[in-house]
Amino acid sequence: MNKVKAFITLAAFSLSLSSCFFFDKTEKVDNTPNGNDTEVTEKDNNDIDVSKLPVAKDFTLNDMKGNKVSLMKVVSESKITILDFWASWCPPCMSEMPNLVNIYENYNDDGLQIIGVSLDNDKKSWQNAVEAMGMKWVQVSDLKGWENAAAQLYQVDAIPHTLILDNEGHILAEDLRGQQLEEFISDFIE
């Protein structure tokens, strides 16, 4: 019996290292706001036919100071935007954060923006994580956890979850992390 418990614990821990899931989620139809799967190919980012890509749906949430922030307003003011769904209680999110901080520092002056959508319930935990990790980009939340309005709009059922948007809101890529994310951003900006 102890071997079974140990196996289950190990399996659950392994799963938690890759993504934080919302297990009570009902059927997921697709990963994109308008039903089209996006795909990252080996093509140069400049060869992407954006007319065939889905367009992000706008949402407005409050930042930490209570100011309303519109996704599409931020997107339109940037060359490229990373929409990052995350939470302070999510170990994979926190382990990816140094990479996002590095990407932001390297490419913000060249037109990159990041919008962090926190799936936290507790404002203090959210604020502490942002400060501790040095996340200097736009942060929004409604503090409703998995019931977050933007997460519901995008059918997010696992975090971290990222969407890469051009300045017109076209979804260029989804769920890139680490070096793959940095290479995509670098190629697009150059």
Side-chain angles (χ1 to χ4, degrees):
M1 189 64 155
N2 285 338
K3 288 182 181 181
V4 172
K5 286 182 182 177
F7 176 76
I8 291 171
T9 302
L10 181 60
F13 178 72
S14 296
L15 184 62
S16 75
L17 292 178
S18 61
S19 290
C20 294
F21 292 94
F22 179 54
F23 290 106
D24 294 332
K25 195 80 165 166
T26 55
E27 178 183 340
K28 182 176 179 188
V29 178
D30 58 53
N31 286 333
T32 58
N34 63 359
N36 297 326
D37 287 331
T38 55
E39 184 176 307
V40 178
T41 64
E42 294 299 315
K43 294 190 323 182
D44 182 3
N45 292 330
N46 296 325
D47 294 336
I48 295 173
D49 182 0
V50 295
S51 68
K52 295 181 181 179
L53 295 176
V55 177
K57 293 184 180 180
D58 196 16
F59 62 81
T60 300
L61 289 174
N62 290 340
D63 65 13
M64 289 185 186
K65 295 179 180 177
N67 300 314
K68 293 190 179 307
V69 177
S70 161
L71 169 68
M72 295 311 281
K73 183 174 185 327
V74 173
V75 164
S76 69
E77 295 171 349
S78 308
K79 185 172 186 177
I80 189 167
T81 302
I82 300 171
L83 177 58
D84 178 41
F85 292 90
W86 71 283
S88 66
W89 46 260
C90 170
C93 300
M94 295 292 83
S95 67
E96 179 63 13
M97 231 25 99
N99 183 53
L100 282 175
V101 168
N102 184 54
I103 290 170
Y104 183 79
E105 289 174 356
N106 289 337
Y107 300 101
N108 178 250
D109 289 341
D110 297 321
L112 168 72
Q113 185 54 269
I114 301 176
I115 299 178
V117 179
S118 171
L119 273 63
D120 280 286
N121 290 314
D122 179 69
K123 187 173 184 178
K124 195 69 174 160
S125 296
W126 174 35
Q127 290 173 324
N128 289 343
V130 168
E131 185 176 320
M133 299 301 291
M135 296 181 246
K136 297 176 183 172
W137 53 87
V138 178
Q139 293 287 337
V140 297
S141 184
D142 56 14
L143 298 173
K144 294 182 179 177
W146 287 107
E147 297 302 315
N148 176 285
Q152 295 291 307
L153 181 65
Y154 284 89
Q155 300 177 349
V156 174
D157 64 1
I159 53 176
H161 179 73
T162 57
L163 297 170
I164 315 304
L165 312 172
D166 70 7
N167 66 347
E168 294 179 358
H170 294 102
I171 300 172
L172 304 174
E174 188 168 350
D175 284 327
L176 299 179
R177 294 191 189 108
Q179 185 174 351
Q180 194 178 28
L181 175 60
E182 182 162 10
E183 288 173 2
F184 189 92
I185 298 299
S186 175
D187 289 347
F188 187 88
I189 285 179
E190 292 174 5

